[in-house]
Amino acid sequence: MGMSAEQEENSRSPRAEEWPEAEKAEKLARGAALKWASGVFYRPDKLEGLGHYRSREAQRNSSIQSRLKSTVQSHLEGVSAGLEQLRSAAGDVRSVRRDLCAVRWHLLGSAEGFQRLAPLRAVVTEHTQLAAVVRALPQLSSVHELLAQSLRLLHGQQLLEAHAGLMVLERLREDITSQLHGSSSLPSNQALGVVESFFAGLQELSDALAQQLWRIVGGGVRLVREDPALFVSAVRIIEREESVDDALLLGPHAHHSPAPGRPKAWRQRFYQVMQETIAAAHFKAAHVDVKGPGLGRHLATLQSDILVELRVVKDLMVQCCPPHYDILSICTRMYHQGLSDHLQDILSRDLDKQEIFMLLSWVLHVYQSPEMMGHPDLLPEVDVSTLGPLVSPEVVEQMERKYVGKVKMLDENIRVASLVADSLQQKVYAMAMDELEAFLISLREALGECGKEHQKDRSTPKHYISYLLALLNNNMALSSSISTLHPGSASLAKPAEIPSSLQTALDRAQKKACRLLLEELLLDLQPLYVQLPSRKWLSSAQLVNSMCEVIDKYMRDFSHVRNPVFTFLLAESEHLVMNHYVRALMEKKMVCRSAEERTQLSSRLLQDASQLRELFHNLGLAESEQTLEVILALQELIRLQDPALLSLEVLGFMTKYPDISDEHVSILLDLRGDVSKEVRNVVLEMMAQNPQSLPENYQPIFSNILVPAPELPFCLRKSKCA
């Protein structure tokens, strides 16, 4: 049954040598056949069917070979047909190529002839456009009549009808021009010239209508009271033109070049005319008398006229304009900005002290008062507080300094009194000092009341911080000038001493203003302090970043104060930040639950303290003058891994910060979360045995930080406390 190795080797076909995969498949097939044959003919009784099996397999092989031959023959016939078609296609391609080459040579030879046809093409195009113009002649013939009619309507104050005629003419010109564009992408100059000759007066009509509109808009405040229909007609015309502008810019013909005179932008010109009218009527400072009583009369006139006109705008003009004009807000802004520029111009002149006083009083007290912009007839629609200050705080401070420099009244009175008698001079001087002291005391009381009102509503007064900073600078200027009032100060080698009670009043007013500024800083930091300590705070630096942003903003404002007050504010701000940071840690809001949390807490304290110290150092406060170092010391207590060593660590802490109490230490031990009762007792007993005295010039840290009251034990009636 089996085939010898030599027979098997000889039976290999060349294809098997070329295709190893075929050889492998053949081996697998032979193995499978042998396995099947050995299973079928293993028993002798099965050998009888061998001849039958051989005959059947021979028939099957013959059938397979027949089908294979048929299939191969069919494929060969198809390949032969395909090759024949390819040969035919190649011949066709060669033929087409020859034809194309011939056509190309013919075209090249005819190029000169095509160029000679270009003038004819231009003539045809121009003829087509002129034909379009001829077709439009019936319409063009009516243009002159429509122009004349529209001008008559305009002169007769029939604005809406005149504008309707203008729009008809503009639409007619646009239609004819569109027809010319439709006949050719580029209309000829001759065709356009013919069309434009008919519409030569159209721009003149448009300009005349515009001039009439701007005269109406310029007198709008008067017209809305006397003849509102005329003003409304002007507004309606402006809105029509805005609609046409929008359609040309956004419509289907937006890609075409704009029509002559478009866009007109008449709404923008409306606002411009309003602003020019307001400025010309009230703020042309060149012809304004601002010397002596003239300034008072001018300010009173401005107050009366602006109030009256804004009432008219609010009550009447608003009803004559579409809501999207926002005419009341726009006019309020125009008056505010025009008045601001006008006052800046007046302040740039050489004013005497009475004029400076009058102007500052009007700006700071009259402008936003119920007698002007805060009038009940204007509220609540008019709110100039949203438009910024009428005069910047820097200019106000500059004029205050200029005023103080010009004020000689006290000095003059004291010197005049010396002409009578030295005793009178001393009495006048003493009286002046008493009056200054009384003024400073009342100023301090007024600051306190202002601070209380500001706490109720921090949006009022506007520029609260800027006023406090200006007050501090003026307080220093006053302090430096008082010594020059002393009789005989000119002959003294050094400035005369300020009376002690007056110096106390100066210091108390200064400290009150500084305290109000620090309270503002604390109010903005307080929402951040309530978030620590917490587990969210442990995992992010966002909280200290926000603190630094608030502190930096306030320090930039404080820097407008001259030294030494700025240095004082900087140091007090640093102490305030430290105090409330440590105070927040003492609130018993969190207890560490693991050594990992203690490590997190220590790291967060270290990072926060380092970032805050660096901020204040960059702002100009030396690290040796900072108190934030206490946070670094606290993190050492938290970071200590062995609670048994806490007594030694606390002892070192007490040496550096002797005002820390056992209540403070107890809260810190609670914050650690791993201190047993025995270790706590050892630490507290060590503190009792080693009392610390406060060294001279020691700046208190913990004595200003109250600890929360201990929780009372829960007791049942008639039973012992738990």
Side-chain angles (χ1 to χ4, degrees), residues 365-603:
H365 302 292
V366 175
Y367 179 64
Q368 295 194 27
S369 70
E371 284 75 29
M372 193 174 177
M373 305 305 282
H375 196 281
D377 290 349
L378 301 180
L379 299 178
E381 289 85 354
V382 174
D383 183 9
V384 293
S385 63
T386 61
L387 303 179
L390 187 62
V391 178
S392 68
E394 292 78 13
V395 174
V396 170
E397 181 182 351
Q398 177 185 355
M399 297 310 297
E400 287 176 346
R401 289 200 301 269
K402 190 174 181 180
Y403 176 76
V404 172
K406 286 179 175 289
V407 170
K408 306 288 186 181
M409 292 180 289
L410 289 176
D411 183 56
E412 290 174 354
N413 290 333
I414 293 172
R415 294 183 187 278
V416 169
S418 68
L419 300 177
V420 178
D422 291 342
S423 59
L424 178 60
Q425 186 183 29
Q426 291 291 342
K427 289 178 181 178
V428 172
Y429 172 75
M431 178 272 297
M433 298 300 101
D434 291 341
E435 288 298 320
L436 280 176
E437 182 179 345
F439 165 73
L440 290 169
I441 292 173
S442 64
L443 174 63
R444 182 176 179 275
E445 293 173 352
L447 282 175
E449 292 300 321
C450 181
K452 291 178 182 178
E453 293 299 321
H454 183 69
Q455 295 292 331
K456 297 177 183 177
D457 181 6
R458 294 186 69 194
S459 64
T460 58
K462 275 284 187 181
H463 311 291
Y464 175 71
I465 293 178
S466 298
Y467 290 144
L468 290 176
L469 297 175
L471 185 146
L472 286 171
N473 282 330
N474 293 332
N475 190 73
M476 285 188 285
L478 178 62
S479 178
S480 62
S481 62
I482 287 176
S483 59
T484 62
L485 300 176
H486 192 278
S489 59
S491 61
L492 296 177
K494 61 179 182 179
E497 292 186 359
I498 300 176
S500 58
S501 59
L502 179 57
Q503 185 63 57
T504 301
L506 284 167
D507 294 342
R508 294 185 70 187
Q510 176 177 297
K511 290 179 180 178
K512 183 64 177 178
C514 290
R515 189 175 303 114
L516 293 175
L517 288 170
L518 293 172
E519 287 177 359
E520 281 296 288
L521 171 61
L522 180 59
L523 284 174
D524 283 346
L525 287 175
Q526 201 62 47
L528 303 174
Y529 282 127
V530 298
Q531 301 179 43
L532 64 89
S534 63
R535 287 174 174 83
K536 180 180 179 181
W537 162 68
L538 289 180
S539 59
S540 172
Q542 180 60 41
L543 192 62
V544 71
N545 291 339
S546 300
M547 286 184 182
C548 290
E549 290 176 2
V550 173
I551 295 168
D552 184 66
K553 171 182 173 295
Y554 272 88
M555 293 307 108
R556 286 199 303 270
D557 291 338
F558 292 175
S559 66
H560 292 97
V561 180
R562 298 189 295 272
N563 275 324
V565 176
F566 171 68
T567 303
F568 172 78
L569 283 171
L570 184 61
E572 288 297 307
S573 299
E574 188 272 344
H575 188 76
L576 177 142
V577 170
M578 176 280 301
N579 183 283
H580 285 270
Y581 191 102
V582 176
R583 191 188 299 260
L585 293 177
M586 297 290 174
E587 291 292 334
K588 288 187 175 181
K589 297 177 184 175
M590 192 185 86
V591 174
C592 294
R593 296 180 295 198
S594 63
E596 182 182 358
E597 276 198 354
R598 281 189 293 279
T599 301
Q600 275 187 299
L601 175 58
S602 172
S603 299

Side-chain angles (χ1 to χ4, degrees), residues 152 229 251 257 260 272 275 324 336 478 494 564 594:
R152 286 194 299 272
S257 59
Q272 185 178 351
Q275 188 169 11
H324 63 269
H336 182 85
L478 178 62
K494 61 179 182 179
S594 63

Side-chain angles (χ1 to χ4, degrees), residues 57-347:
E57 287 300 320
Q59 292 177 358
R60 181 182 297 172
N61 286 338
S62 176
S63 175
I64 291 173
Q65 289 177 1
S66 175
R67 288 199 298 271
L68 284 174
K69 289 179 180 179
S70 176
T71 302
V72 170
Q73 182 65 31
S74 175
H75 281 291
L76 288 175
E77 292 175 355
V79 169
S80 178
L83 290 173
E84 184 63 30
Q85 291 175 357
L86 285 175
R87 283 192 295 270
S88 175
D92 294 340
V93 168
R94 286 192 294 271
S95 176
V96 169
R97 182 184 298 172
R98 287 193 299 271
D99 294 341
L100 287 176
C101 288
V103 170
R104 180 171 177 272
W105 284 110
H106 284 300
L107 287 175
L108 290 176
S110 304
E112 185 178 354
F114 290 147
Q115 292 176 356
R116 289 196 295 269
L117 292 176
L120 179 61
R121 185 184 301 111
V123 171
V124 171
T125 300
E126 186 173 357
H127 175 76
T128 304
Q129 293 172 355
L130 290 175
V133 173
V134 170
R135 288 194 298 271
L137 280 177
Q139 297 172 299
L140 291 173
S141 61
S142 63
V143 168
H144 293 296
E145 182 180 353
L146 287 173
L147 279 171
Q149 181 182 358
S150 299
L151 283 172
R152 286 194 299 272
L153 292 171
L154 179 60
H155 295 152
Q157 293 290 314
Q158 295 176 283
L159 301 183
L160 291 174
E161 293 80 359
H163 183 252
L166 174 64
M167 295 186 70
V168 168
L169 288 168
E170 289 181 339
R171 196 177 301 114
L172 177 60
R173 182 177 62 180
E174 178 66 21
D175 291 343
I176 295 175
T177 305
S178 298
Q179 293 175 16
L180 296 180
H181 278 285
S183 61
S184 175
S185 59
L186 185 63
S188 67
N189 293 333
Q190 183 177 1
L192 289 176
V194 172
V195 173
E196 290 300 326
S197 64
F198 283 91
F199 293 95
L202 186 58
Q203 188 60 45
E204 180 183 353
L205 173 62
S206 178
D207 293 341
L209 177 60
Q211 292 177 3
Q212 185 72 3
L213 291 179
W214 308 142
R215 282 195 293 269
I216 293 171
V217 172
V221 174
R222 174 183 56 82
L223 283 175
V224 294
R225 288 180 292 185
E226 300 175 358
D227 187 6
L230 192 58
F231 184 82
V232 171
S233 297
V235 173
R236 289 180 61 187
I237 291 171
I238 292 170
E239 283 302 286
R240 286 179 183 176
E241 291 294 339
E242 284 295 310
S243 300
V244 175
D245 283 350
D246 293 342
L248 291 176
L249 292 175
L250 305 175
H253 303 292
H255 61 282
H256 291 163
S257 59
R262 293 286 178 184
K264 294 184 179 180
W266 278 5
R267 188 190 300 163
Q268 182 178 352
R269 179 59 182 158
F270 169 87
Y271 293 129
Q272 185 178 351
V273 170
M274 291 283 292
Q275 188 169 11
E276 292 172 353
T277 302
I278 291 173
H282 306 293
F283 306 134
K284 291 299 182 183
H287 61 270
V288 174
D289 179 16
V290 296
K291 302 303 294 182
L295 178 61
R297 289 192 298 269
H298 179 59
L299 294 176
T301 301
L302 286 176
Q303 177 182 347
S304 173
D305 291 350
I306 292 176
L307 177 59
V308 169
E309 292 181 9
L310 277 178
R311 281 174 172 169
V312 173
V313 173
K314 176 178 178 290
D315 296 336
L316 299 175
M317 189 175 287
V318 166
Q319 303 176 26
C320 300
C321 298
H324 63 269
Y325 270 49
D326 196 16
I327 192 65
L328 180 58
S329 298
I330 295 293
C331 285
T332 302
R333 189 178 300 112
M334 290 177 180
Y335 281 109
H336 182 85
Q337 187 59 50
L339 184 57
S340 177
D341 296 339
H342 181 55
L343 294 178
Q344 291 283 0
D345 180 72
I346 295 177
L347 287 170

